[in-house]
Amino acid sequence: MADYDFDVLVIGSGPGGYVAAIRAAQLGLKTGCVESRETLGGTCLNVGCIPSKAMLHASEFYDHAANGMMAKMGIKVTPELDLDTMHGQRKDAVKQLTGGIEFLFKKNKVEWIKGHAAFTAADTVQVGDRSVRAKNIVIATGSSVTPLPGVEIDQKVVVDSTGALELPKVPEQMVVIGGGVIGLELGSVWRRLGAKVTVVEFLDQILPGFDGEVRKESNKILKKQGLEFKLSTKVTGVTVKGDKATLTVEPAAGGAAETIEADTVLVSIGRKPNTDGLALDKAGLGTNQRGQIEIDHDFRTSVPGIWAIGDVVPGPMLAHKAEDEGIAVAENIAGQHGIVNHDVIPSVVYTWPEIAGVGLTEEAAKERGEVKVGKFPMLANSRAKTNHEPDGFVKVIADAKTDRVLGVWCIASVAGTMIAQAAQAMEFGATSEDIAYTCHAHPTHSEAIKEAAMAVTGKPIHV
Ligand SMILES: Cc1cc2nc3c(=O)[nH]c(=O)nc-3n(C[C@H](O)[C@H](O)[C@H](O)COP(=O)(O)OP(=O)(O)OC[C@H]3O[C@@H](n4cnc5c(N)ncnc54)[C@H](O)[C@@H]3O)c2cc1C
């Protein structure tokens, strides 16, 4: 170790970075983690997964009370929104969880170096007035909001996801630019609390990357809830006057422009890797055309001793993918064999109902060969029906010859929880028959996965 400060220095304390740091320390390596934010936990804990789920969870209760769901179960209530308290419980969740990472750092003897890291050499970074030298450096700097050219985010009228989590009052008319996961989740929060929400999406369907049938059905369900969609439509300009915005939109294929008025515009067209200010060139590193740091199967960059994980490298920008890469990279640095199976990374949209999938879409699976598909509607699942949650379905896609499960997709109130068993089955190389003959507790939503698996070979019981 001689003149190294650390065996492992992690840059960034998001779910990739903090997990890598903790695992490296657990493996006996002297570990530091540089974070420029005031609190640990990265995008996920501070302005991403956690605060958005806090608002989704609370607004779901409000919606159930306001829109007749509770009345259906014999509970008559007229809800009154206390937005300050709702925001308060969001902030509290963030505070507790970011504080929890600080506790785990102390417990595992990970040193938190506060400040912004920039490379000065392949094994050295500068943080404020401190030069830190490490045998291994893990870049886990994450991602930030992709700006829309010509549209200025003022966090008042035109907001990004961080601003949309903190709106001080419910907008009357909100326009969401981008029908991806973040836009649909945050659009749902404010629609539930009373805003009229229009989602403008350039593509001809929401949720790019998801299974085609799931995309279509999700659109139908969300529309029924009151979200308005303008698909195949591009935003060509946003002008703000006072506390109102006017958006100019036109058909993606060209055609007559129209305007939409809004008091809040959410720009959610995607996220870009964070490498600005890292001085990668000083370490002999660069980025690919998408701004990402390229890595090999073991998370090594092209420079020995520098590794990269999470949103800053290619692959889905998801917290659990970053976490698994964090564990694997630390194990690889320690000389173990850390592996992440990138074919089995679940994706979840936390709308109501939730939308989840793992593995291949039906379209992608069909491109690879012959498949068999089994479907089961949530309407026929006893628990979903009893709970007044009839929307959605489960779809199991299996290889026609081997029956091996290639993909599973669910729309269900608890799809995010249900998809875990599909991921585990796929990780173990399960066939649809394996899932179909696994005993599932009754009455649970998960029985729909069993029945969809039974439907692959044509024998579900309840339809
Ligand atoms: C609104 C929203 C909701 C989301 N919901 C979900 C969800 O439900 N589920 C899910 O899986 N994913 C979700 N995501 C995505 C998820 O947050 C990211 O995939 C995840 O945080 C990526 O982790 P990471 O460790 O790669 O980077 P990040 O979490 O982005 O953390 C990187 C950290 O590095 C720090 N940093 C950057 N550069 C430097 C530097 N040079 N020096 C020091 N520090 C630096 C940053 O300050 C940041 O704290 C959501 C994202 C958003 C915005």
Side-chain angles (χ1 to χ4, degrees), residues 395-454:
K395 173 171 172 175
V396 174
I397 303 154
D399 183 289
K401 287 194 196 78
T402 64
D403 191 34
R404 190 170 172 154
V405 177
L406 303 173
V408 176
W409 295 87
C410 317
I411 304 178
S413 59
V414 289
T417 305
M418 289 162 71
I419 206 67
Q421 70 145 305
Q424 191 160 40
M426 287 174 66
E427 194 63 47
F428 289 176
T431 60
S432 78
E433 192 182 46
D434 290 330
I435 299 178
Y437 285 98
T438 298
C439 191
H440 286 61
H442 174 78
T444 58
H445 296 81
S446 292
E447 286 174 288
I449 292 193
K450 177 188 172 93
E451 295 248 26
M454 290 166 94

Short mmCIF file of all heavy atoms in Angstrom, two decimals, residues 395-454:
data_model
loop_
_atom_site.label_atom_id
_atom_site.label_comp_id
_atom_site.label_asym_id
_atom_site.label_seq_id
_atom_site.Cartn_x
_atom_site.Cartn_y
_atom_site.Cartn_z
N LYS A 395 -47.73 -11.75 -18.67
CA LYS A 395 -47.39 -12.39 -19.93
C LYS A 395 -46.04 -13.09 -19.75
O LYS A 395 -45.09 -12.47 -19.27
CB LYS A 395 -47.29 -11.27 -20.96
CG LYS A 395 -46.79 -11.63 -22.31
CD LYS A 395 -47.02 -10.38 -23.17
CE LYS A 395 -46.40 -10.49 -24.52
NZ LYS A 395 -46.74 -9.33 -25.36
N VAL A 396 -46.00 -14.37 -20.06
CA VAL A 396 -44.75 -15.14 -19.97
C VAL A 396 -44.35 -15.54 -21.38
O VAL A 396 -45.15 -16.10 -22.13
CB VAL A 396 -44.93 -16.39 -19.07
CG1 VAL A 396 -43.68 -17.26 -19.10
CG2 VAL A 396 -45.25 -15.97 -17.63
N ILE A 397 -43.13 -15.23 -21.75
CA ILE A 397 -42.63 -15.53 -23.10
C ILE A 397 -41.57 -16.63 -22.95
O ILE A 397 -40.59 -16.45 -22.20
CB ILE A 397 -42.00 -14.28 -23.75
CG1 ILE A 397 -43.02 -13.14 -23.78
CG2 ILE A 397 -41.46 -14.59 -25.15
CD1 ILE A 397 -42.39 -11.75 -23.81
N ALA A 398 -41.77 -17.75 -23.64
CA ALA A 398 -40.81 -18.86 -23.51
C ALA A 398 -40.34 -19.32 -24.87
O ALA A 398 -41.05 -19.16 -25.88
CB ALA A 398 -41.47 -20.01 -22.76
N ASP A 399 -39.15 -19.88 -24.90
CA ASP A 399 -38.61 -20.44 -26.13
C ASP A 399 -39.49 -21.63 -26.55
O ASP A 399 -39.78 -22.51 -25.72
CB ASP A 399 -37.17 -20.91 -25.87
CG ASP A 399 -36.50 -21.44 -27.10
OD1 ASP A 399 -36.88 -22.54 -27.58
OD2 ASP A 399 -35.60 -20.75 -27.60
N ALA A 400 -39.92 -21.65 -27.82
CA ALA A 400 -40.88 -22.68 -28.25
C ALA A 400 -40.27 -24.08 -28.15
O ALA A 400 -40.99 -25.05 -27.90
CB ALA A 400 -41.33 -22.39 -29.68
N LYS A 401 -38.99 -24.21 -28.34
CA LYS A 401 -38.38 -25.56 -28.34
C LYS A 401 -37.99 -25.99 -26.93
O LYS A 401 -38.34 -27.08 -26.50
CB LYS A 401 -37.14 -25.56 -29.22
CG LYS A 401 -37.49 -25.51 -30.71
CD LYS A 401 -36.28 -25.86 -31.57
CE LYS A 401 -36.54 -25.42 -33.00
NZ LYS A 401 -36.37 -23.95 -33.20
N THR A 402 -37.29 -25.12 -26.21
CA THR A 402 -36.75 -25.55 -24.91
C THR A 402 -37.68 -25.20 -23.75
O THR A 402 -37.48 -25.67 -22.64
CB THR A 402 -35.40 -24.85 -24.64
OG1 THR A 402 -35.65 -23.44 -24.55
CG2 THR A 402 -34.40 -25.12 -25.76
N ASP A 403 -38.64 -24.35 -23.97
CA ASP A 403 -39.57 -23.85 -22.95
C ASP A 403 -38.89 -22.91 -21.94
O ASP A 403 -39.50 -22.48 -20.97
CB ASP A 403 -40.25 -25.03 -22.21
CG ASP A 403 -41.41 -24.55 -21.34
OD1 ASP A 403 -42.10 -23.58 -21.73
OD2 ASP A 403 -41.62 -25.12 -20.25
N ARG A 404 -37.62 -22.60 -22.16
CA ARG A 404 -36.92 -21.70 -21.23
C ARG A 404 -37.58 -20.31 -21.26
O ARG A 404 -37.91 -19.81 -22.34
CB ARG A 404 -35.46 -21.60 -21.66
CG ARG A 404 -34.62 -20.89 -20.64
CD ARG A 404 -33.16 -21.03 -20.98
NE ARG A 404 -32.42 -20.16 -20.08
CZ ARG A 404 -31.17 -20.35 -19.73
NH1 ARG A 404 -30.51 -21.37 -20.21
NH2 ARG A 404 -30.56 -19.51 -18.92
N VAL A 405 -37.78 -19.72 -20.10
CA VAL A 405 -38.44 -18.41 -20.02
C VAL A 405 -37.48 -17.32 -20.51
O VAL A 405 -36.34 -17.22 -20.05
CB VAL A 405 -38.89 -18.10 -18.56
CG1 VAL A 405 -39.51 -16.71 -18.47
CG2 VAL A 405 -39.89 -19.15 -18.09
N LEU A 406 -37.97 -16.53 -21.46
CA LEU A 406 -37.14 -15.48 -22.07
C LEU A 406 -37.52 -14.09 -21.55
O LEU A 406 -36.71 -13.16 -21.58
CB LEU A 406 -37.29 -15.49 -23.59
CG LEU A 406 -36.96 -16.82 -24.28
CD1 LEU A 406 -37.31 -16.74 -25.76
CD2 LEU A 406 -35.49 -17.14 -24.10
N GLY A 407 -38.78 -13.95 -21.12
CA GLY A 407 -39.22 -12.64 -20.64
C GLY A 407 -40.54 -12.77 -19.90
O GLY A 407 -41.33 -13.68 -20.18
N VAL A 408 -40.74 -11.90 -18.91
CA VAL A 408 -42.02 -11.87 -18.18
C VAL A 408 -42.42 -10.41 -18.02
O VAL A 408 -41.58 -9.57 -17.67
CB VAL A 408 -41.89 -12.55 -16.79
CG1 VAL A 408 -43.21 -12.42 -16.02
CG2 VAL A 408 -41.49 -14.01 -16.92
N TRP A 409 -43.68 -10.11 -18.29
CA TRP A 409 -44.18 -8.73 -18.21
C TRP A 409 -45.47 -8.72 -17.41
O TRP A 409 -46.31 -9.61 -17.57
CB TRP A 409 -44.42 -8.20 -19.65
CG TRP A 409 -43.11 -8.11 -20.37
CD1 TRP A 409 -42.50 -9.11 -21.08
CD2 TRP A 409 -42.21 -7.00 -20.39
NE1 TRP A 409 -41.28 -8.69 -21.54
CE2 TRP A 409 -41.08 -7.39 -21.14
CE3 TRP A 409 -42.26 -5.71 -19.85
CZ2 TRP A 409 -40.00 -6.54 -21.35
CZ3 TRP A 409 -41.20 -4.86 -20.07
CH2 TRP A 409 -40.08 -5.27 -20.81
N CYS A 410 -45.61 -7.74 -16.55
CA CYS A 410 -46.83 -7.68 -15.71
C CYS A 410 -47.34 -6.25 -15.63
O CYS A 410 -46.55 -5.31 -15.50
CB CYS A 410 -46.59 -8.02 -14.25
SG CYS A 410 -45.56 -9.37 -13.87
N ILE A 411 -48.64 -6.11 -15.68
CA ILE A 411 -49.29 -4.88 -15.25
C ILE A 411 -50.22 -5.31 -14.12
O ILE A 411 -51.14 -6.10 -14.34
CB ILE A 411 -50.11 -4.22 -16.38
CG1 ILE A 411 -49.24 -3.97 -17.62
CG2 ILE A 411 -50.75 -2.92 -15.89
CD1 ILE A 411 -50.00 -3.37 -18.80
N ALA A 412 -49.93 -4.86 -12.92
CA ALA A 412 -50.72 -5.27 -11.75
C ALA A 412 -50.39 -4.31 -10.62
O ALA A 412 -49.32 -3.70 -10.63
CB ALA A 412 -50.36 -6.70 -11.34
N SER A 413 -51.28 -4.21 -9.63
CA SER A 413 -51.04 -3.24 -8.55
C SER A 413 -49.68 -3.47 -7.89
O SER A 413 -49.04 -2.52 -7.47
CB SER A 413 -52.15 -3.32 -7.51
OG SER A 413 -52.19 -4.63 -6.98
N VAL A 414 -49.25 -4.73 -7.80
CA VAL A 414 -47.98 -5.03 -7.13
C VAL A 414 -46.98 -5.68 -8.11
O VAL A 414 -46.18 -6.53 -7.72
CB VAL A 414 -48.19 -5.92 -5.88
CG1 VAL A 414 -48.85 -5.13 -4.77
CG2 VAL A 414 -49.02 -7.16 -6.23
N ALA A 415 -47.02 -5.24 -9.36
CA ALA A 415 -46.16 -5.84 -10.39
C ALA A 415 -44.68 -5.75 -10.03
O ALA A 415 -43.90 -6.67 -10.31
CB ALA A 415 -46.41 -5.16 -11.73
N GLY A 416 -44.28 -4.64 -9.36
CA GLY A 416 -42.87 -4.47 -9.00
C GLY A 416 -42.40 -5.54 -8.04
O GLY A 416 -41.22 -5.94 -8.06
N THR A 417 -43.30 -6.00 -7.19
CA THR A 417 -42.95 -7.07 -6.25
C THR A 417 -43.04 -8.43 -6.95
O THR A 417 -42.20 -9.31 -6.75
CB THR A 417 -43.91 -7.02 -5.04
OG1 THR A 417 -43.83 -5.71 -4.48
CG2 THR A 417 -43.53 -8.04 -3.99
N MET A 418 -44.05 -8.57 -7.81
CA MET A 418 -44.24 -9.85 -8.51
C MET A 418 -43.07 -10.19 -9.42
O MET A 418 -42.72 -11.36 -9.60
CB MET A 418 -45.52 -9.79 -9.36
CG MET A 418 -46.80 -9.79 -8.56
SD MET A 418 -48.20 -9.20 -9.56
CE MET A 418 -48.44 -10.55 -10.70
N ILE A 419 -42.45 -9.15 -10.02
CA ILE A 419 -41.45 -9.42 -11.06
C ILE A 419 -40.19 -10.09 -10.48
O ILE A 419 -39.43 -10.74 -11.21
CB ILE A 419 -41.11 -8.13 -11.84
CG1 ILE A 419 -40.62 -8.45 -13.26
CG2 ILE A 419 -40.12 -7.25 -11.11
CD1 ILE A 419 -41.63 -9.04 -14.18
N ALA A 420 -40.01 -9.96 -9.15
CA ALA A 420 -38.82 -10.55 -8.52
C ALA A 420 -38.78 -12.07 -8.72
O ALA A 420 -37.72 -12.64 -8.98
CB ALA A 420 -38.78 -10.21 -7.03
N GLN A 421 -39.94 -12.71 -8.61
CA GLN A 421 -39.92 -14.17 -8.76
C GLN A 421 -39.60 -14.57 -10.20
O GLN A 421 -38.96 -15.58 -10.44
CB GLN A 421 -41.23 -14.81 -8.30
CG GLN A 421 -42.42 -14.55 -9.17
CD GLN A 421 -43.37 -15.78 -9.22
OE1 GLN A 421 -42.95 -16.89 -9.55
NE2 GLN A 421 -44.61 -15.55 -8.88
N ALA A 422 -40.04 -13.73 -11.15
CA ALA A 422 -39.74 -14.02 -12.55
C ALA A 422 -38.24 -13.88 -12.79
O ALA A 422 -37.61 -14.71 -13.47
CB ALA A 422 -40.52 -13.07 -13.45
N ALA A 423 -37.65 -12.82 -12.20
CA ALA A 423 -36.20 -12.60 -12.37
C ALA A 423 -35.43 -13.77 -11.76
O ALA A 423 -34.48 -14.28 -12.36
CB ALA A 423 -35.79 -11.28 -11.70
N GLN A 424 -35.87 -14.20 -10.59
CA GLN A 424 -35.16 -15.30 -9.94
C GLN A 424 -35.28 -16.59 -10.76
O GLN A 424 -34.30 -17.31 -10.95
CB GLN A 424 -35.73 -15.53 -8.55
CG GLN A 424 -34.88 -16.46 -7.73
CD GLN A 424 -35.15 -16.31 -6.26
OE1 GLN A 424 -36.31 -16.15 -5.85
NE2 GLN A 424 -34.13 -16.34 -5.45
N ALA A 425 -36.49 -16.83 -11.27
CA ALA A 425 -36.69 -18.03 -12.10
C ALA A 425 -35.78 -17.98 -13.32
O ALA A 425 -35.13 -18.97 -13.68
CB ALA A 425 -38.17 -18.12 -12.52
N MET A 426 -35.72 -16.81 -13.96
CA MET A 426 -34.88 -16.68 -15.17
C MET A 426 -33.40 -16.82 -14.83
O MET A 426 -32.63 -17.39 -15.59
CB MET A 426 -35.16 -15.34 -15.86
CG MET A 426 -36.52 -15.35 -16.56
SD MET A 426 -36.94 -13.75 -17.25
CE MET A 426 -35.68 -13.57 -18.52
N GLU A 427 -33.02 -16.32 -13.69
CA GLU A 427 -31.61 -16.44 -13.25
C GLU A 427 -31.24 -17.92 -13.09
O GLU A 427 -30.11 -18.32 -13.35
CB GLU A 427 -31.46 -15.69 -11.92
CG GLU A 427 -30.04 -15.43 -11.49
CD GLU A 427 -29.24 -14.52 -12.41
OE1 GLU A 427 -29.75 -13.48 -12.82
OE2 GLU A 427 -28.10 -14.90 -12.73
N PHE A 428 -32.21 -18.71 -12.67
CA PHE A 428 -31.97 -20.15 -12.50
C PHE A 428 -32.24 -20.93 -13.79
O PHE A 428 -32.26 -22.16 -13.79
CB PHE A 428 -32.87 -20.72 -11.38
CG PHE A 428 -32.49 -20.28 -9.99
CD1 PHE A 428 -33.26 -20.65 -8.89
CD2 PHE A 428 -31.36 -19.52 -9.76
CE1 PHE A 428 -32.90 -20.26 -7.60
CE2 PHE A 428 -30.99 -19.11 -8.49
CZ PHE A 428 -31.77 -19.49 -7.40
N GLY A 429 -32.51 -20.21 -14.90
CA GLY A 429 -32.74 -20.87 -16.19
C GLY A 429 -34.05 -21.64 -16.23
O GLY A 429 -34.16 -22.68 -16.89
N ALA A 430 -35.06 -21.15 -15.54
CA ALA A 430 -36.34 -21.88 -15.44
C ALA A 430 -37.07 -22.00 -16.77
O ALA A 430 -36.94 -21.14 -17.64
CB ALA A 430 -37.24 -21.17 -14.43
N THR A 431 -37.85 -23.06 -16.89
CA THR A 431 -38.80 -23.19 -18.01
C THR A 431 -40.14 -22.65 -17.53
O THR A 431 -40.35 -22.48 -16.32
CB THR A 431 -38.97 -24.67 -18.41
OG1 THR A 431 -39.47 -25.37 -17.26
CG2 THR A 431 -37.64 -25.26 -18.87
N SER A 432 -41.06 -22.46 -18.47
CA SER A 432 -42.40 -22.00 -18.05
C SER A 432 -43.05 -23.08 -17.20
O SER A 432 -43.80 -22.79 -16.27
CB SER A 432 -43.27 -21.64 -19.26
OG SER A 432 -43.78 -22.78 -19.88
N GLU A 433 -42.71 -24.33 -17.49
CA GLU A 433 -43.27 -25.44 -16.71
C GLU A 433 -42.78 -25.39 -15.25
O GLU A 433 -43.55 -25.67 -14.33
CB GLU A 433 -42.86 -26.76 -17.37
CG GLU A 433 -43.62 -27.95 -16.82
CD GLU A 433 -43.18 -29.24 -17.46
OE1 GLU A 433 -41.95 -29.47 -17.57
OE2 GLU A 433 -44.06 -30.02 -17.84
N ASP A 434 -41.52 -25.00 -15.06
CA ASP A 434 -40.99 -24.87 -13.69
C ASP A 434 -41.84 -23.89 -12.89
O ASP A 434 -42.15 -24.11 -11.72
CB ASP A 434 -39.54 -24.36 -13.70
CG ASP A 434 -38.55 -25.38 -14.23
OD1 ASP A 434 -38.80 -26.59 -14.07
OD2 ASP A 434 -37.54 -24.96 -14.83
N ILE A 435 -42.19 -22.75 -13.53
CA ILE A 435 -42.99 -21.74 -12.81
C ILE A 435 -44.40 -22.26 -12.60
O ILE A 435 -44.99 -22.13 -11.53
CB ILE A 435 -43.01 -20.40 -13.59
CG1 ILE A 435 -41.59 -19.83 -13.74
CG2 ILE A 435 -43.91 -19.37 -12.89
CD1 ILE A 435 -41.49 -18.54 -14.54
N ALA A 436 -44.94 -22.91 -13.63
CA ALA A 436 -46.33 -23.40 -13.56
C ALA A 436 -46.50 -24.44 -12.46
O ALA A 436 -47.55 -24.52 -11.84
CB ALA A 436 -46.73 -23.98 -14.91
N TYR A 437 -45.45 -25.23 -12.21
CA TYR A 437 -45.57 -26.30 -11.20
C TYR A 437 -44.95 -25.90 -9.85
O TYR A 437 -44.75 -26.74 -9.00
CB TYR A 437 -44.98 -27.61 -11.73
CG TYR A 437 -45.91 -28.26 -12.74
CD1 TYR A 437 -45.72 -28.10 -14.10
CD2 TYR A 437 -47.02 -29.00 -12.30
CE1 TYR A 437 -46.59 -28.65 -15.03
CE2 TYR A 437 -47.90 -29.56 -13.22
CZ TYR A 437 -47.68 -29.38 -14.58
OH TYR A 437 -48.56 -29.93 -15.47
N THR A 438 -44.66 -24.60 -9.70
CA THR A 438 -44.22 -24.11 -8.38
C THR A 438 -45.47 -23.70 -7.61
O THR A 438 -46.33 -22.99 -8.15
CB THR A 438 -43.28 -22.88 -8.55
OG1 THR A 438 -42.13 -23.30 -9.27
CG2 THR A 438 -42.85 -22.32 -7.20
N CYS A 439 -45.58 -24.16 -6.36
CA CYS A 439 -46.77 -23.83 -5.57
C CYS A 439 -46.73 -22.35 -5.16
O CYS A 439 -45.76 -21.88 -4.59
CB CYS A 439 -46.82 -24.71 -4.33
SG CYS A 439 -48.38 -24.60 -3.47
N HIS A 440 -47.76 -21.59 -5.53
CA HIS A 440 -47.87 -20.17 -5.18
C HIS A 440 -48.97 -20.01 -4.14
O HIS A 440 -50.03 -20.61 -4.26
CB HIS A 440 -48.25 -19.35 -6.43
CG HIS A 440 -47.14 -19.17 -7.41
ND1 HIS A 440 -46.52 -20.23 -8.05
CD2 HIS A 440 -46.56 -18.05 -7.88
CE1 HIS A 440 -45.58 -19.74 -8.87
NE2 HIS A 440 -45.59 -18.42 -8.78
N ALA A 441 -48.73 -19.17 -3.14
CA ALA A 441 -49.72 -18.97 -2.07
C ALA A 441 -51.00 -18.36 -2.64
O ALA A 441 -50.96 -17.54 -3.56
CB ALA A 441 -49.15 -18.06 -1.00
N HIS A 442 -52.11 -18.78 -2.07
CA HIS A 442 -53.43 -18.28 -2.47
C HIS A 442 -54.04 -17.50 -1.30
O HIS A 442 -53.94 -17.95 -0.17
CB HIS A 442 -54.33 -19.44 -2.87
CG HIS A 442 -55.73 -19.03 -3.16
ND1 HIS A 442 -56.08 -18.42 -4.35
CD2 HIS A 442 -56.86 -19.10 -2.41
CE1 HIS A 442 -57.36 -18.14 -4.32
NE2 HIS A 442 -57.87 -18.54 -3.15
N PRO A 443 -54.71 -16.41 -1.47
CA PRO A 443 -54.89 -15.70 -2.73
C PRO A 443 -53.82 -14.61 -2.86
O PRO A 443 -53.76 -13.71 -2.03
CB PRO A 443 -56.28 -15.08 -2.57
CG PRO A 443 -56.40 -14.83 -1.08
CD PRO A 443 -55.51 -15.83 -0.38
N THR A 444 -53.01 -14.67 -3.88
CA THR A 444 -52.00 -13.63 -4.12
C THR A 444 -52.02 -13.23 -5.59
O THR A 444 -52.40 -14.03 -6.46
CB THR A 444 -50.57 -14.10 -3.78
OG1 THR A 444 -50.27 -15.26 -4.57
CG2 THR A 444 -50.38 -14.39 -2.32
N HIS A 445 -51.56 -12.01 -5.85
CA HIS A 445 -51.44 -11.54 -7.22
C HIS A 445 -50.45 -12.41 -7.99
O HIS A 445 -50.57 -12.59 -9.19
CB HIS A 445 -50.93 -10.09 -7.24
CG HIS A 445 -51.87 -9.11 -6.60
ND1 HIS A 445 -51.95 -8.92 -5.24
CD2 HIS A 445 -52.75 -8.23 -7.16
CE1 HIS A 445 -52.85 -7.99 -4.97
NE2 HIS A 445 -53.35 -7.55 -6.12
N SER A 446 -49.47 -12.98 -7.26
CA SER A 446 -48.42 -13.77 -7.91
C SER A 446 -48.96 -15.03 -8.58
O SER A 446 -48.32 -15.58 -9.48
CB SER A 446 -47.35 -14.17 -6.90
OG SER A 446 -46.66 -13.02 -6.48
N GLU A 447 -50.13 -15.47 -8.14
CA GLU A 447 -50.72 -16.64 -8.81
C GLU A 447 -50.94 -16.36 -10.30
O GLU A 447 -50.99 -17.28 -11.11
CB GLU A 447 -52.06 -16.99 -8.16
CG GLU A 447 -51.93 -17.64 -6.80
CD GLU A 447 -53.29 -17.83 -6.14
OE1 GLU A 447 -53.88 -16.80 -5.71
OE2 GLU A 447 -53.77 -18.97 -6.09
N ALA A 448 -51.06 -15.08 -10.66
CA ALA A 448 -51.24 -14.73 -12.08
C ALA A 448 -49.99 -15.09 -12.88
O ALA A 448 -50.09 -15.40 -14.08
CB ALA A 448 -51.56 -13.24 -12.22
N ILE A 449 -48.83 -15.05 -12.23
CA ILE A 449 -47.59 -15.45 -12.94
C ILE A 449 -47.62 -16.96 -13.19
O ILE A 449 -47.30 -17.44 -14.27
CB ILE A 449 -46.33 -15.03 -12.15
CG1 ILE A 449 -46.21 -13.50 -12.15
CG2 ILE A 449 -45.08 -15.66 -12.76
CD1 ILE A 449 -44.88 -12.93 -11.69
N LYS A 450 -48.04 -17.69 -12.17
CA LYS A 450 -48.16 -19.15 -12.32
C LYS A 450 -49.12 -19.48 -13.46
O LYS A 450 -48.84 -20.30 -14.32
CB LYS A 450 -48.66 -19.74 -10.99
CG LYS A 450 -48.91 -21.24 -10.99
CD LYS A 450 -49.60 -21.64 -9.68
CE LYS A 450 -50.05 -23.09 -9.71
NZ LYS A 450 -49.06 -24.00 -9.14
N GLU A 451 -50.28 -18.78 -13.47
CA GLU A 451 -51.30 -19.10 -14.48
C GLU A 451 -50.85 -18.69 -15.89
O GLU A 451 -51.12 -19.38 -16.86
CB GLU A 451 -52.62 -18.42 -14.12
CG GLU A 451 -53.21 -18.95 -12.82
CD GLU A 451 -54.51 -19.73 -13.01
OE1 GLU A 451 -54.74 -20.29 -14.10
OE2 GLU A 451 -55.29 -19.75 -12.05
N ALA A 452 -50.13 -17.57 -15.98
CA ALA A 452 -49.61 -17.17 -17.29
C ALA A 452 -48.59 -18.20 -17.78
O ALA A 452 -48.53 -18.52 -18.96
CB ALA A 452 -48.98 -15.78 -17.21
N ALA A 453 -47.80 -18.74 -16.83
CA ALA A 453 -46.84 -19.78 -17.19
C ALA A 453 -47.58 -21.04 -17.64
O ALA A 453 -47.18 -21.72 -18.60
CB ALA A 453 -45.92 -20.08 -16.00
N MET A 454 -48.69 -21.35 -16.96
CA MET A 454 -49.51 -22.51 -17.38
C MET A 454 -50.06 -22.27 -18.79
O MET A 454 -50.19 -23.20 -19.59
CB MET A 454 -50.66 -22.72 -16.41
CG MET A 454 -50.23 -23.23 -15.04
SD MET A 454 -51.57 -23.08 -13.83
CE MET A 454 -52.29 -24.69 -13.94
#
